C-alpha cells in the first residue's frame, strides 16, 4: 500500500486593490508553489478602508475564473468582510494554515498601517487566531515591477509556515521599490512614529458648491532611528513589523491609574475589593495522595 502524500498547507489570499489588481496575481503565483490556494478578494478597489465592515447592505459573493486552477471569489465588501466570509462560508470549516493579503500597490509602513485595507484583512485573520501576513510594495504604479519582490514574498511565507507567527499578531511586510541595487536583506522592525500633514484643495462643482481633494505630505518624526520600518525601507531592506489588534497602550494604562481621579467630585471613592487570603501549598493536601 502506498503512503499518503503529505497534506498541502491551505493558504487564503485577499487584498484591498481588488481581485483584478496586478499585486494579487503575484501573490497567487507565489503561494500556489507553497500549498493549496483559495482567493476571496474585493470586487472593486477598497484602498484606505481600514478595518471597515459592511453592515448597511448585503454582501455579494461570486465565483471568479480569473486564476486558472484556483478556487477564487469576489466579494462586494471590504477586505475584512472578505476574510470573514471566507472563514464562515467559503472554507466550510477548513482552517487556513496561513492568510496572506496583498501585494499592495504602495507602502503600508509606519502610520499607514492604520488606514490600510491590506493590513485589515491580515489583522482580521489574526483576530480569528490565524497566522497572517500583509505584503506591500513601495510603488503605487499600476505597472509596478514585482520581480525583485517575489523571492522575498516566498521566503517570508515559507518562514511563517514552518516557524509560525506570534499569536495575536499579523506581520506587516513592506518591500522597497525596484531599483538598480539589490535588496540588502530583511529586518524585523518597529513601526516608525510618523504622520500625514494634510492639505485640502478646495474646488467648486458646476452649481458653485465647494468640494475638496485631500492632499498631504508624509512626515517621519524619527528619521534617524535605525530600528524602524521607514529606516529599513530607506536603506533597501524588507521591513517586517509584527502588528497587534489590541490597541491598549499599557504604559498609558499605568499612568492613568496612577494620576487620574476616577470618581465624580463629592462622591466617595469605592472601597477596594478585599484581597483573598493567599493559599499555601499545604491547603491542597499531599502532592501524591496514597490510597
Amino acid at each position: 500500500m502506498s503512503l499518503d502524500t503529505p497534506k498541502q498547507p491551505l493558504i487564503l489570499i485577499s487584498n484591498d486593490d481588488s481581485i483584478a489588481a496586478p499585486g494579487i496575481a503575484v501573490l497567487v503565483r507565489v503561494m500556489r508553489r507553497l500549498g493549496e490556494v483559495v482567493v476571496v478578494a474585493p470586487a472593486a478597489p477598497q484602498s484606505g478602508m481600514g478595518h471597515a465592515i459592511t453592515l448597511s447592505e448585503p454582501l455579494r459573493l461570486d465565483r471568479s475564473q480569473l486564476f486558472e486552477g484556483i478556487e477564487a471569489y469576489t466579494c462586494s465588501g471590504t477586505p475584512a468582510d472578505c476574510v470573514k466570509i471566507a472563514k464562515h462560508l467559503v472554507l466550510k470549516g477548513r482552517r487556513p494554515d496561513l492568510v496572506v493579503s496583498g501585494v499592495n500597490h504602495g507602502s503600508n509602513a509606519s502610520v499607514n498601517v492604520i488606514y490600510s485595507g491590506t493590513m485589515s484583512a491580515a489583522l482580521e485573520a489574526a483576530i480569528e487566531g490565524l497566522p497572517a501576513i500583509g505584503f506591500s510594495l513601495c510603488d503605487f504604479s499600476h505597472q509596478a515591477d514585482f520581480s525583485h519582490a517575489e523571492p522575498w514574498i516566498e521566503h517570508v511565507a515559507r518562514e511563517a509556515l514552518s516557524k509560525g507567527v506570534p499569536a495575536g499578531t499579523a506581520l506587516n511586510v513592506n518591500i522597497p521599490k525596484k531599483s538598480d541595487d539589490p535588496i540588502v536583506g530583511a529586518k524585523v522592525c518597529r513601526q516608525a512614529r510618523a504622520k500625514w500633514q494634510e492639505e485640502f484643495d478646495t474646488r467648486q462643482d458646476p452649481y458653485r458648491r465647494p468640494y475638496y481633494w485631500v492632499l498631504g505630505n508624509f512626515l517621519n518624526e524619527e528619521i534617524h532611528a535605525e530600528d524602524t520600518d521607514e529606516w529599513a525601507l530607506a536603506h533597501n531592506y524588507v521591513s517586517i513589523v509584527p502588528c497587534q489588534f489590541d490597541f491598549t497602550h499599557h504604559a498609558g494604562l499605568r499612568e492613568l491609574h496612577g494620576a487620574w481621579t476616577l470618581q465624580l467630585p463629592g462622591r466617595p471613592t469605592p472601597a477596594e475589593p478585599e484581597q483573598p487570603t493567599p493559599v499555601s501549598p499545604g491547603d491542597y493536601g499531599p502532592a501524591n495522595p496514597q490510597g
Side-chain angles (χ1 to χ4, degrees):
M1 186 174 68
S2 62
L3 294 174
D4 292 336
T5 56
K7 178 178 174 290
Q8 283 192 310
L10 176 60
I11 303 173
L12 174 64
I13 296 178
S14 193
N15 75 344
D16 71 342
D17 289 322
S18 87
I19 199 167
I24 198 170
V26 172
L27 210 50
V28 169
R29 183 165 61 246
V30 173
M31 293 302 140
R32 73 193 308 171
R33 298 198 288 262
L34 308 185
E36 178 188 353
V37 168
V38 175
V39 177
V40 182
Q46 298 280 341
S47 293
M49 291 297 290
H51 210 94
I53 57 174
T54 302
L55 298 175
S56 59
E57 57 189 57
L59 292 173
R60 307 288 182 183
L61 186 69
D62 296 300
R63 191 70 184 256
S64 172
Q65 304 299 326
L66 191 59
F67 309 111
E68 185 177 355
I70 296 292
E71 183 181 358
Y73 302 84
T74 61
C75 174
S76 61
T78 66
D81 289 331
C82 290
V83 174
K84 288 178 180 292
I85 208 166
K87 177 180 183 291
H88 292 283
L89 298 180
V90 173
L91 296 177
K92 298 180 176 65
R94 301 173 66 201
R95 181 181 176 85
D97 297 286
L98 183 64
V99 179
V100 290
S101 181
V103 179
N104 189 64
H105 293 251
S107 171
N108 275 320
S110 184
V111 72
N112 295 301
V113 69
I114 295 174
Y115 311 108
S116 167
T118 300
M119 281 304 295
S120 80
L123 284 165
E124 182 62 36
I127 291 170
E128 296 287 351
L130 303 172
I133 310 171
F135 289 101
S136 302
L137 178 70
C138 298
D139 189 341
F140 287 97
S141 171
H142 194 73
Q143 289 77 39
D145 187 343
F146 291 87
S147 60
H148 69 300
E150 288 195 30
W152 285 101
I153 293 168
E154 180 172 347
H155 176 71
V156 171
R158 286 188 184 277
E159 287 287 290
L161 285 168
S162 64
K163 299 173 183 173
V165 173
T169 66
L171 303 182
N172 183 17
V173 177
N174 284 269
I175 301 167
K177 181 179 180 179
K178 180 73 179 288
S179 70
D180 293 335
D181 298 320
I183 290 175
V184 178
K187 278 188 175 292
V188 176
C189 318
R190 66 177 176 88
Q191 177 182 318
R193 187 173 65 251
K195 64 180 180 181
W196 284 94
Q197 292 181 319
E198 285 89 1
E199 299 175 4
F200 293 88
D201 183 6
T202 305
R203 304 186 185 185
Q204 285 189 336
D205 67 17
Y207 298 97
R208 300 189 181 281
R209 295 175 301 193
Y211 66 94
Y212 310 93
W213 282 104
V214 181
L215 307 172
N217 295 306
F218 184 73
L219 176 63
N220 182 358
E221 296 181 339
E222 43 183 356
I223 193 168
H224 298 299
E226 298 184 7
D227 61 341
T228 71
D229 49 5
E230 289 292 338
W231 187 95
L233 293 165
H235 291 79
N236 218 28
Y237 286 89
V238 173
S239 67
I240 304 174
V241 177
C243 298
Q244 63 182 15
F245 51 85
D246 177 1
F247 283 8
T248 307
H249 186 258
H250 291 277
L253 188 71
R254 293 190 294 272
E255 182 177 338
L256 292 178
H257 274 302
W260 281 38
T261 300
L262 301 176
Q263 184 55 279
L264 292 175
R267 293 196 178 185
T269 302
E272 292 291 329
E274 292 186 10
Q275 296 298 315
T277 303
V279 177
S280 68
D283 293 333
Y284 290 106
N288 294 296
Q290 302 295 319

